[in-house]
Amino acid sequence: MKNIAVCIMAAWWFAACGNPVTSPERVDEWPDIYPDYIGVTIPATIAPMNFNCIGGAYERVDVTVTGGKSGEMHVNDKIVSFPQDAWQELLEENKGDSLLFTVCIRKDGEWKQYRSFPMYVSPYPIDYGVVYRKLAPGYEVYSKMGIYERDLASFEERPLLENTMVPGMCLNCHAFNKTNPDHLSLHIRGKNGGTLMQIDGKREMLDTKTDSTLSAGVYPYWHPSGKYIAYSVNNTRQSFHAVKDERVEVLDLESDVLIYHPETHELLLSPLLQKKEVFETFPVFSPDGRKLYFCAAEAKPIPAEYKEIRYSLCSIDFNPEDGTFGETIDTLVNAAAMKKSISFPRPSYDGEYIMFTLSDYGNFSIWHKEADLWLLDLKDGGMRPIKEVNSDDTESFHNWSSNSRWFVFSSRRGDGLYTRLYVTNNNTRLKNMDMRKVKFAMMMLAVSLLTACGSSKKEQSVNEETAAARTQETENLLANLKKIPSKGIMLGHHDDTVYGIGWEGEEGRSDVKSVCGDYPAVISFDLGELELGNAANLDKVPFDKIR
């Protein structure tokens, strides 16, 4: 075995030495790389920060990485891929310091050496991995989705649960207690669905819908003691925009907040959190477990005033000793007065901050291009946009590492369609944040802890390079799609004749017809569970009605 290892190392060494950098032209600019890792801060246990050179075709790339304290590694190949063991050793040697990357690229037989760039190695650790949901960004069909775990020290990903195990069902709303997987809540939507709860290795499937609640519990958040878990219950509808830059809207017709006590199987309710005139959602506990934060908005008629629904950040006291609520609601951030709306509040586990998403209206901000991350300082009440990480596209779901030194967030900055995950270093009270990005596409997440991804620049170059991989059939389809708008536009609406805003199952009714005077030109229906021989689809619409 030792001889085999020696042979492999020798082959690697000769391959590198067979294409040495000779008489390079010095270029006083940084190399074009994707993902863009120039100047980022990384954990000392992160997987190798491999990257591609995207400034056009090249024959070979040579990278020397020098540790600020000690150590060096060298790669000479067509791609930049660092050996994992050597990479981890170099990071450990330079924890609290930096690495300097010198990149040389050979084009047309000539070498160019670019300006060296640093990566900073944080002394603060990060959790072992991240857990997320992954699915394609479609609306009608989700033939495969799952909850996955990624080891941050490597590129290993494993499924925790896939809907191939429960065909036709939707897996969502998963949560751990402060990144601890011993406490898990996971919702499964569809026939025979429910809430899967795991506490210290013991699992049970629950139906959390009762006669006194609007729905099963969603958007879960554990009490730090593990004795309670908060949910919102929502009467939710999905709608689609007909304009170019807006795709989908998810609206709550009603919503309340409650707490579940797993040991006794009791729901803890407060009349202050179940008001008909208020939409309450996204509950989260404070790190000491004595406050429940949530988002609340004045109820408005839908669809007429859906863009006027704006959620503020509120709180109510909670006594974990006896499971009782306080008697008043406090407003921490009056977003409605700012003509803005708050979603996804997440307190840092050290009790210093609440991070939230701020958008123009509503609470389902994952499709709102204007959505940005903001930070509320719980000590002085000040708040600000996190400009260091925000982009001109959607920033949305996020969570903190267990030591509150890092956080992960999702963004559509890569291509406006797929959500990718980004990790940033929360150093010096977020005054000087460095953003780490990894090309790693997935749809949405709820976090046990962190990963990273896609670059905020150079996507156009990447798309040009992928064009060469398209088949002729794909090119023909793209060309036809571009021609069709010149002939006119056909308006479509999913499930148009079976339910809508405030109604369901009324013969001949259509939201589009109510607004426009006629039915849509195209109507789509979900066929999920047809393959199982069921009488109704995933949305509980009978197939006989669809026919």
Side-chain angles (χ1 to χ4, degrees):
M1 190 68 186
K2 184 175 181 181
N3 291 336
I4 293 174
V6 170
C7 290
I8 292 173
M9 288 301 295
W12 174 78
W13 185 83
F14 281 118
C17 292
N19 295 274
V21 177
T22 55
S23 305
E25 175 189 348
R26 303 272 180 160
V27 180
D28 189 23
E29 60 185 42
W30 284 320
D32 257 349
I33 64 172
Y34 182 85
D36 183 1
Y37 291 146
I38 295 172
V40 298
T41 297
I42 60 177
T45 54
I46 200 70
M49 302 284 282
N50 303 329
F51 55 83
N52 294 323
C53 297
I54 61 172
Y58 62 90
E59 294 132 22
R60 206 161 187 89
V61 60
D62 184 284
V63 180
T64 300
V65 187
T66 306
K69 292 180 179 178
S70 62
E72 184 176 286
M73 66 188 307
H74 179 229
V75 171
N76 184 297
D77 207 332
K78 293 183 178 180
I79 59 173
V80 181
S81 181
F82 301 109
Q84 184 163 328
D85 290 345
W87 172 264
Q88 295 292 355
E89 183 178 343
L90 189 62
L91 289 185
E92 185 62 32
E93 290 176 1
N94 292 279
K95 191 184 299 184
D97 206 294
S98 62
L99 306 177
L100 190 66
F101 291 71
T102 301
V103 177
C104 298
I105 299 175
R106 191 178 71 187
K107 294 182 181 180
D108 301 322
E110 302 293 330
W111 286 97
K112 288 185 178 181
Q113 180 177 322
Y114 293 84
R115 187 194 309 167
S116 298
F117 65 85
M119 290 188 197
Y120 303 99
V121 185
S122 173
Y124 301 111
I126 196 170
D127 300 65
Y128 79 95
V130 59
V131 174
Y132 44 85
R133 185 173 74 149
K134 186 165 66 172
L135 72 160
Y139 310 118
E140 278 86 42
V141 179
Y142 41 83
S143 58
K144 183 178 179 181
M145 70 169 67
I147 309 297
Y148 298 85
E149 177 186 64
R150 157 76 190 273
D151 180 0
L152 289 180
S154 70
F155 298 101
E156 294 181 7
E157 179 188 72
R158 70 183 182 100
L160 300 182
L161 185 65
E162 294 179 324
N163 70 342
T164 51
M165 303 168 66
V166 281
M169 293 190 177
C170 175
L171 310 177
N172 54 31
C173 295
H174 58 287
F176 303 105
N177 186 12
K178 283 186 63 176
T179 78
N180 183 352
D182 290 342
H183 286 71
L184 164 67
S185 175
L186 167 68
H187 190 62
I188 302 172
R189 184 167 64 90
K191 184 180 180 181
N192 301 319
T195 298
L196 174 65
M197 187 164 291
Q198 174 177 288
I199 299 177
D200 296 329
K202 296 180 180 179
R203 299 177 185 173
E204 60 179 339
M205 183 69 80
L206 305 170
D207 181 1
T208 53
K209 171 71 175 76
T210 72
D211 293 340
S212 61
T213 59
L214 298 172
S215 70
V218 295
Y219 304 135
Y221 196 93
W222 286 92
H223 190 270
S225 69
K227 291 175 57 179
Y228 305 98
I229 184 168
Y231 293 103
S232 67
V233 288
N234 309 60
N235 181 2
T236 302
R237 289 292 184 270
Q238 181 174 251
S239 298
F240 296 89
H241 290 280
V243 295
K244 176 183 176 183
D245 293 328
E246 297 178 277
R247 286 191 171 89
V248 63
E249 204 67 59
V250 177
L251 308 166
D252 284 341
L253 305 184
E254 304 171 273
S255 60
D256 296 323
V257 163
L258 54 82
I259 293 176
Y260 176 65
H261 189 205
E263 184 178 349
T264 62
H265 292 149
E266 290 181 292
L267 294 179
L268 309 180
L269 307 176
S270 166
L272 295 177
L273 300 176
Q274 295 187 300
K275 295 180 177 180
K276 287 290 185 183
E277 66 272 20
V278 178
F279 297 158
E280 303 97 348
T281 191
F282 298 133
V284 293
F285 285 105
S286 61
D288 64 5
R290 296 194 167 274
K291 279 189 182 297
L292 184 70
Y293 302 113
F294 60 97
C295 296
E298 179 186 352
K300 300 277 187 181
I302 296 174
E305 297 182 29
Y306 79 97
K307 283 196 173 183
E308 300 303 315
I309 298 175
R310 294 187 172 94
Y311 290 77
S312 294
L313 180 61
C314 302
S315 70
I316 188 172
D317 290 339
F318 178 72
N319 186 339
E321 279 75 35
D322 59 12
T324 57
F325 296 89
E327 297 181 356
T328 58
I329 300 291
D330 295 319
T331 301
L332 282 71
V333 179
N334 188 349
M338 303 164 57
K339 299 295 184 183
K340 293 289 183 179
S341 190
I342 289 176
S343 57
F344 305 131
R346 282 295 181 271
S348 61
Y349 298 123
D350 60 10
E352 292 193 17
Y353 304 102
I354 295 179
M355 189 182 302
F356 56 84
T357 301
L358 194 72
S359 58
D360 285 348
Y361 62 90
N363 69 16
F364 206 74
S365 53
I366 67 169
W367 281 109
H368 285 217
K369 290 178 70 68
E370 80 283 356
D372 282 334
L373 296 182
W374 280 61
L375 199 70
L376 172 67
D377 191 323
L378 290 173
K379 291 183 177 179
D380 60 21
M383 65 178 191
R384 70 177 184 90
I386 310 178
K387 295 179 180 179
E388 297 87 343
V389 303
N390 290 329
S391 71
D392 58 0
D393 214 313
T394 307
E395 270 69 60
S396 189
F397 199 90
H398 45 273
N399 205 14
W400 299 85
S401 63
S402 58
N403 61 6
S404 300
R405 291 290 183 176
W406 307 84
F407 66 87
V408 65
F409 66 97
S410 63
S411 177
R412 296 189 193 273
R413 68 187 64 195
D415 55 19
L417 184 61
Y418 279 88
T419 297
R420 293 174 171 86
L421 307 185
Y422 296 72
V423 165
T424 187
N425 175 248
N426 171 20
N427 206 356
T428 62
R429 295 175 58 81
L430 289 173
K431 301 291 186 189
N432 298 294
M433 287 191 294
D434 293 299
M435 186 166 63
R436 174 190 185 275
K437 297 153 274 186
V438 175
K439 188 180 181 184
F440 193 37
M442 52 197 69
M443 182 59 185
M444 192 169 175
L445 63 146
V447 187
S448 159
L449 226 256
L450 316 174
T451 190
C453 99
S455 171
S456 60
K457 62 180 183 177
K458 307 187 183 74
E459 286 82 4
Q460 183 176 355
S461 299
V462 175
N463 290 336
E464 289 171 354
E465 291 181 8
T466 60
R470 297 179 191 141
T471 65
Q472 187 58 51
E473 289 81 0
T474 304
E475 292 292 353
N476 293 342
L477 175 61
L478 289 172
N480 288 331
L481 288 173
K482 291 176 181 177
K483 290 178 182 177
I484 287 173
S486 63
K487 300 179 180 180
I489 296 174
M490 298 176 68
L491 173 67
H493 189 204
H494 184 64
D495 284 350
D496 180 79
T497 56
V498 293
Y499 61 80
I501 303 300
W503 65 273
E504 186 171 349
E506 297 182 26
E507 192 68 32
R509 187 166 179 180
S510 158
D511 283 351
V512 174
K513 185 179 180 182
S514 298
V515 174
C516 304
D518 201 353
Y519 293 103
V522 180
I523 302 175
S524 63
F525 299 96
D526 197 327
L527 299 182
E529 297 195 3
L530 178 66
E531 73 280 9
L532 302 178
N534 294 337
N537 69 6
L538 292 167
D539 297 323
K540 307 304 181 188
V541 178
F543 288 116
D544 287 344
K545 184 174 285 290
I546 295 174
R547 293 187 184 99

Short mmCIF file of all heavy atoms in Angstrom, two decimals, residues 527-546:
data_model
loop_
_atom_site.label_atom_id
_atom_site.label_comp_id
_atom_site.label_asym_id
_atom_site.label_seq_id
_atom_site.Cartn_x
_atom_site.Cartn_y
_atom_site.Cartn_z
N LEU A 527 -50.56 16.38 -11.89
CA LEU A 527 -50.91 14.97 -12.07
C LEU A 527 -50.28 14.07 -11.01
O LEU A 527 -50.37 12.85 -11.10
CB LEU A 527 -50.49 14.50 -13.46
CG LEU A 527 -51.15 15.22 -14.65
CD1 LEU A 527 -50.67 14.63 -15.96
CD2 LEU A 527 -52.67 15.15 -14.55
N GLY A 528 -49.63 14.68 -10.02
CA GLY A 528 -49.00 13.90 -8.96
C GLY A 528 -49.99 13.00 -8.25
O GLY A 528 -51.08 13.43 -7.88
N GLU A 529 -49.65 11.74 -8.05
CA GLU A 529 -50.41 10.67 -7.41
C GLU A 529 -51.36 9.96 -8.38
O GLU A 529 -52.01 8.98 -8.01
CB GLU A 529 -51.17 11.16 -6.16
CG GLU A 529 -50.24 11.65 -5.07
CD GLU A 529 -50.89 11.80 -3.71
OE1 GLU A 529 -52.09 11.46 -3.56
OE2 GLU A 529 -50.19 12.25 -2.79
N LEU A 530 -51.40 10.42 -9.66
CA LEU A 530 -52.11 9.65 -10.68
C LEU A 530 -51.46 8.29 -10.86
O LEU A 530 -52.14 7.27 -11.04
CB LEU A 530 -52.12 10.42 -12.01
CG LEU A 530 -52.80 9.72 -13.20
CD1 LEU A 530 -54.28 9.56 -12.96
CD2 LEU A 530 -52.56 10.51 -14.49
N GLU A 531 -50.11 8.31 -10.77
CA GLU A 531 -49.36 7.07 -10.95
C GLU A 531 -49.61 6.06 -9.82
O GLU A 531 -49.32 4.87 -9.95
CB GLU A 531 -47.85 7.37 -11.04
CG GLU A 531 -47.17 7.77 -9.74
CD GLU A 531 -47.40 9.23 -9.35
OE1 GLU A 531 -48.24 9.90 -10.00
OE2 GLU A 531 -46.75 9.69 -8.41
N LEU A 532 -50.17 6.55 -8.71
CA LEU A 532 -50.46 5.67 -7.58
C LEU A 532 -51.89 5.13 -7.62
O LEU A 532 -52.29 4.34 -6.75
CB LEU A 532 -50.25 6.42 -6.26
CG LEU A 532 -48.84 7.00 -6.03
CD1 LEU A 532 -48.79 7.76 -4.72
CD2 LEU A 532 -47.79 5.91 -6.06
N GLY A 533 -52.65 5.58 -8.62
CA GLY A 533 -54.03 5.12 -8.73
C GLY A 533 -54.99 5.83 -7.80
O GLY A 533 -56.12 5.37 -7.59
N ASN A 534 -54.57 6.99 -7.25
CA ASN A 534 -55.42 7.73 -6.32
C ASN A 534 -56.51 8.49 -7.07
O ASN A 534 -56.38 8.82 -8.26
CB ASN A 534 -54.59 8.70 -5.49
CG ASN A 534 -53.64 7.96 -4.56
OD1 ASN A 534 -53.87 6.80 -4.21
ND2 ASN A 534 -52.57 8.62 -4.16
N ALA A 535 -57.58 8.80 -6.36
CA ALA A 535 -58.71 9.50 -6.97
C ALA A 535 -58.47 11.00 -7.11
O ALA A 535 -59.11 11.66 -7.92
CB ALA A 535 -59.98 9.26 -6.14
N ALA A 536 -57.53 11.55 -6.31
CA ALA A 536 -57.25 12.99 -6.33
C ALA A 536 -55.75 13.21 -6.42
O ALA A 536 -54.94 12.34 -6.07
CB ALA A 536 -57.83 13.67 -5.09
N ASN A 537 -55.36 14.42 -6.89
CA ASN A 537 -53.94 14.70 -7.02
C ASN A 537 -53.37 15.25 -5.72
O ASN A 537 -54.03 15.26 -4.67
CB ASN A 537 -53.68 15.66 -8.19
CG ASN A 537 -54.20 17.07 -7.93
OD1 ASN A 537 -54.66 17.41 -6.83
ND2 ASN A 537 -54.14 17.92 -8.94
N LEU A 538 -52.12 15.74 -5.79
CA LEU A 538 -51.43 16.24 -4.59
C LEU A 538 -52.17 17.40 -3.94
O LEU A 538 -52.05 17.62 -2.73
CB LEU A 538 -50.01 16.67 -4.96
CG LEU A 538 -49.04 15.56 -5.37
CD1 LEU A 538 -47.80 16.16 -6.00
CD2 LEU A 538 -48.66 14.72 -4.17
N ASP A 539 -52.87 18.18 -4.75
CA ASP A 539 -53.61 19.34 -4.23
C ASP A 539 -55.03 18.97 -3.81
O ASP A 539 -55.85 19.86 -3.57
CB ASP A 539 -53.66 20.45 -5.29
CG ASP A 539 -52.28 20.96 -5.64
OD1 ASP A 539 -51.45 21.05 -4.72
OD2 ASP A 539 -52.05 21.28 -6.82
N LYS A 540 -55.32 17.66 -3.74
CA LYS A 540 -56.65 17.16 -3.34
C LYS A 540 -57.73 17.48 -4.37
O LYS A 540 -58.92 17.52 -4.04
CB LYS A 540 -57.06 17.70 -1.96
CG LYS A 540 -56.03 17.46 -0.86
CD LYS A 540 -55.68 16.00 -0.71
CE LYS A 540 -54.67 15.78 0.40
NZ LYS A 540 -54.16 14.38 0.44
N VAL A 541 -57.32 17.73 -5.62
CA VAL A 541 -58.27 17.96 -6.69
C VAL A 541 -58.61 16.62 -7.34
O VAL A 541 -57.72 15.92 -7.80
CB VAL A 541 -57.71 18.92 -7.76
CG1 VAL A 541 -58.70 19.11 -8.88
CG2 VAL A 541 -57.35 20.26 -7.13
N PRO A 542 -59.88 16.22 -7.38
CA PRO A 542 -60.24 14.93 -7.98
C PRO A 542 -59.87 14.89 -9.47
O PRO A 542 -60.10 15.86 -10.21
CB PRO A 542 -61.76 14.86 -7.80
CG PRO A 542 -62.05 15.80 -6.66
CD PRO A 542 -61.05 16.90 -6.79
N PHE A 543 -59.31 13.77 -9.90
CA PHE A 543 -58.94 13.64 -11.31
C PHE A 543 -60.18 13.67 -12.21
O PHE A 543 -60.11 14.11 -13.37
CB PHE A 543 -58.15 12.34 -11.53
CG PHE A 543 -56.75 12.40 -10.98
CD1 PHE A 543 -56.36 11.57 -9.95
CD2 PHE A 543 -55.82 13.29 -11.51
CE1 PHE A 543 -55.07 11.63 -9.44
CE2 PHE A 543 -54.54 13.36 -11.02
CZ PHE A 543 -54.15 12.53 -9.98
N ASP A 544 -61.34 13.24 -11.70
CA ASP A 544 -62.56 13.32 -12.49
C ASP A 544 -62.90 14.76 -12.84
O ASP A 544 -63.41 15.05 -13.93
CB ASP A 544 -63.73 12.67 -11.72
CG ASP A 544 -63.62 11.15 -11.69
OD1 ASP A 544 -62.86 10.61 -12.50
OD2 ASP A 544 -64.29 10.53 -10.84
N LYS A 545 -62.64 15.67 -11.91
CA LYS A 545 -62.91 17.09 -12.16
C LYS A 545 -61.93 17.65 -13.19
O LYS A 545 -62.28 18.50 -14.03
CB LYS A 545 -62.84 17.89 -10.85
CG LYS A 545 -63.22 19.36 -11.01
CD LYS A 545 -63.26 20.05 -9.67
CE LYS A 545 -64.51 19.67 -8.89
NZ LYS A 545 -65.73 20.24 -9.49
N ILE A 546 -60.68 17.18 -13.12
CA ILE A 546 -59.68 17.64 -14.10
C ILE A 546 -60.05 17.17 -15.50
O ILE A 546 -59.93 17.92 -16.47
CB ILE A 546 -58.28 17.13 -13.70
CG1 ILE A 546 -57.84 17.76 -12.36
CG2 ILE A 546 -57.26 17.43 -14.79
CD1 ILE A 546 -56.55 17.21 -11.83
#
